[in-house]
Amino acid sequence: MTGAGLSSARLSSEHLADVVSLVDDEQWELPSACAGWRVIDVIAHLGALAHEAVEPPALDPTLPKNRERYHDLRVDERRGWSHAEVVDEWRDFTPRQLEILESAQEPARAGQPVEVPGLGTYPRHLLANTMAFNVLCHLRHDMLAPDGPLPFAVPEETDGLVAPAVAFMLAGLPQMQGPELAATVAEPLVLDLTGPGATTVTVLPAARQDGPLTVRPGALGATRISSTASDFIAWGTTRTPWRDHCRITGDTFAATPFLDCLDII
C-alpha cells in the first residue's frame, strides 16, 4: 500500500491551496509552463480530475483516446467559467478525492487493478501517487517560477513529497508509450535519481518483441543516466529538455533514443 502517496497528495494540495489564495485575476490569465494552458486552466484540469474521481462520468466512446487530448477537452469545457467557479470546483472536490484515495488503501481493495484510460493499469492504492504526481508537477513546474509565471514560494521539496510522484512515473513508464518506447531500449539503462525522492532503477529491454519494458530497483547495467528526481519530473514529462538535466555515463548512443522518446503524461 502507498500511504506515502496519500500523504504527498495531501501536502501538495495544501501547498497549492496556499498559492491559490494569493493569485489575483491578472495572474490567473498568465500562460503557465504547461503548453496551451493558462494558470487558471491548470486549476481547471486538477478540478476536473477531482470531480471525475468523485463522480465518474458515463462512458463515452466519442471522447479522445489520447490522454493529453482528453485533458485538453475537459479544460476547454471550463474556459467559459469564471475564475471563482473554476477554483470552487477544485476546492469542493479535492477533499472528497482524497477521501476516496484513502479508502483505496484498505487491504481488501488496495491491490485491485484499475485501468486509467490512456495511461495503463495500476493497483488501486497507487492512484494516490497519481494525484501526488499531478499536483506536485503542475504546481511546482507549471505554475510557480522559475518555469511558471507565479512568484510565490512554497516549502522546499522533501523525500515525502517527491518519491511518491516519481514512483508513479516509474510505474507508468513501461505502459504509457508501449512498443514505441520499448523499441528504443536495446540494453539495460540505469536511471540514477538524486536529491529529494532519490532512487536508482534499471530500465530493462522487453523480453519479447512488442513486449513491455521492465523497471527494476537497483543498478543492473553499465549505462547510467543521472539526474535529480525533481528534474526527472520536468524532463521526463518533456517540460524541459533532458539534455539540460541529465549526465550519461557508459554508452551514450544506447541511452539517447530512450531519452528522446520518453514522455510521461
Side-chain angles (χ1 to χ4, degrees):
M1 292 183 290
T2 53
L6 186 63
S7 296
S8 176
R10 281 183 171 141
L11 188 54
S12 278
S13 295
E14 291 171 7
H15 294 162
L16 179 54
D18 290 339
V19 168
V20 164
S21 68
L22 301 174
V23 182
D24 63 31
D25 283 338
E26 290 185 3
Q27 289 170 324
W28 282 129
E29 293 293 321
L30 294 173
S32 78
C34 188
W37 286 2
R38 304 162 297 167
V39 174
I40 192 63
D41 296 329
V42 175
I43 302 301
H45 165 61
L46 295 174
L49 288 176
H51 196 152
E52 292 190 7
V54 176
E55 298 176 354
L59 293 176
D60 183 348
T62 68
L63 293 175
K65 299 295 188 293
N66 180 285
R67 190 68 181 182
E68 290 182 304
R69 301 294 74 78
Y70 177 80
H71 291 327
D72 286 335
L73 173 68
R74 293 308 190 201
V75 167
D76 288 345
E77 290 172 345
R78 290 157 171 81
R79 286 189 184 272
W81 294 17
S82 69
H83 298 159
E85 288 172 325
V86 171
V87 170
D88 284 347
E89 180 183 44
W90 175 77
R91 281 182 172 146
D92 289 346
F93 284 94
T94 292
R96 296 157 69 183
Q97 181 186 19
L98 288 166
E99 289 176 1
I100 289 170
L101 294 175
E102 183 174 14
S103 71
Q105 307 303 307
E106 296 172 359
R109 307 179 67 227
Q112 295 172 344
V114 177
E115 182 182 358
V116 182
L119 298 184
T121 300
Y122 305 88
R124 188 175 296 277
H125 66 82
L126 200 69
L127 297 182
N129 293 58
T130 307
M131 184 180 181
F133 162 76
N134 275 325
V135 180
L136 184 150
C137 181
H138 286 304
L139 172 61
R140 293 177 181 263
H141 294 281
D142 292 336
M143 295 175 64
L144 297 179
D147 298 318
L150 301 182
F152 310 120
V154 291
E156 291 187 2
E157 291 180 326
T158 62
D159 284 336
L161 274 175
V162 179
V166 170
F168 165 70
M169 294 175 71
L170 295 176
L173 187 153
Q175 304 187 68
M176 293 184 191
Q177 295 173 273
E180 175 192 14
L181 186 64
T184 69
V185 180
E187 64 179 66
L189 301 174
V190 177
L191 188 57
D192 186 21
L193 304 178
T194 60
T199 189
T200 299
V201 299
T202 302
V203 180
L204 296 171
R208 64 183 189 280
Q209 188 174 8
D210 294 330
L213 298 171
T214 303
V215 178
R216 291 186 181 169
L220 307 175
T223 298
R224 184 179 295 256
I225 302 161
S226 300
S227 160
T228 69
S230 181
D231 286 342
F232 174 59
I233 294 173
W235 64 258
T237 59
T238 68
R239 280 168 166 77
T240 59
W242 65 263
R243 288 175 175 82
D244 292 347
H245 304 287
C246 295
R247 181 171 61 89
I248 301 172
T249 54
D251 189 347
T252 300
F253 293 104
T256 298
F258 167 75
L259 292 169
D260 283 342
C261 184
L262 181 64
D263 185 8
I264 295 171
I265 300 171

